[in-house]
């Protein structure tokens, strides 16, 4: 049974067939919503987007113990989340639905899916942009900030 988010959004579990849409959602979100992280620096942005390809998403979504969800408004995917093993690897929404409950609904679906798969603790590496969101959702710091290609990521975790 799908979860329903505000604004007539529907959260659906995805197959790798949705990789192209998922990739586009993540690329839009990183480019337009994560300016706090990349500061508009083309070098940093290009490094971050380098592996955000349809082929990479297809492989990640098809991997063993991977679960993916999309938030939809009609036929349009407006958010995407991916859990791999016990890690929330991706959770992004397009700019048009930012701060409208879509990310929370995706996170809830991802946590429930992980719980059902036997995961007792979910880990992630948060951007600066999303850190307050995850802290509000019960995640706590789980180590030192990681730096890569001009980006910083705070490891976080949550007992499910």
């Amino acid at each position: 049974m799908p979860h329903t988010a505000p604004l007539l959004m529907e959260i659906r579990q995805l197959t790798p067939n949705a990789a192209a849409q998922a990739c586009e959602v993540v690329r839009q979100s990183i480019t337009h919503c994560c300016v706090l992280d990349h500061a508009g620096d083309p070098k940093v942005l290009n490094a971050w987007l380098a592996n955000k390809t349809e082929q990479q998403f297809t492989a990640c979504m098809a991997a063993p113990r991977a679960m993916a969800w999309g938030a939809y408004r009609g036929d349009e995917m407006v958010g995407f989340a991916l859990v791999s093993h016990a890690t929330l690897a991706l959770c992004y929404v397009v700019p048009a639905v930012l701060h409208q409950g879509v990310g929370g609904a995706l996170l809830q679906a991802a946590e429930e899916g992980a719980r059902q798969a036997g995961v007792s603790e979910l880990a992630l590496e948060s951007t600066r942009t999303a850190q307050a969101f995850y802290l509000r959702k019960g995640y706590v710091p789980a180590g030192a900030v990681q730096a890569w290609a001009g980006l910083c990521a705070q490891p976080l975790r949550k007992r499910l």
Side-chain angles (χ1 to χ4, degrees):
M1 183 165 180
H3 299 272
T4 303
L7 301 173
L8 303 174
M9 300 285 168
E10 183 182 14
I11 305 298
R12 304 177 196 158
Q13 193 153 11
L14 301 176
T15 67
N17 293 339
Q21 284 182 301
C23 182
E24 182 56 31
V25 165
V26 171
R27 291 180 69 86
Q28 278 185 47
S29 186
I30 289 170
T31 302
H32 301 289
C33 302
C34 298
V35 176
L36 177 63
D37 294 279
H38 59 70
D41 182 330
K43 251 181 145 172
V44 173
L45 186 56
N46 289 336
W48 195 354
L49 295 174
N51 70 344
K52 306 306 184 280
T53 65
E54 181 179 347
Q55 296 77 17
Q56 183 68 23
F57 274 66
T58 299
C60 289
M61 292 169 72
R65 297 184 59 199
M67 299 173 282
W69 294 267
Y72 286 84
R73 181 174 26 200
D75 290 334
E76 179 188 8
M77 187 188 295
V78 295
F80 176 74
L82 176 72
V83 170
S84 178
H85 302 274
T87 300
L88 180 67
L90 300 167
C91 188
Y92 288 91
V93 300
V94 297
V97 301
L98 199 60
H99 305 296
Q100 296 178 27
V102 177
L106 275 170
L107 182 60
Q108 183 179 357
E111 289 174 352
E112 183 57 32
R115 239 183 252 105
Q116 289 177 4
V119 174
S120 61
E121 184 174 86
L122 200 56
L124 62 91
E125 290 187 355
S126 178
T127 60
R128 291 189 308 194
T129 299
Q131 189 171 343
F133 165 78
Y134 289 118
L135 294 174
R136 284 192 310 273
K137 300 298 183 183
Y139 287 79
V140 296
V145 171
Q146 306 295 307
W148 173 82
L151 295 166
C152 293
Q154 173 65 59
L156 300 173
R157 64 183 164 80
K158 178 181 179 179
R159 301 240 358 116
L160 300 178

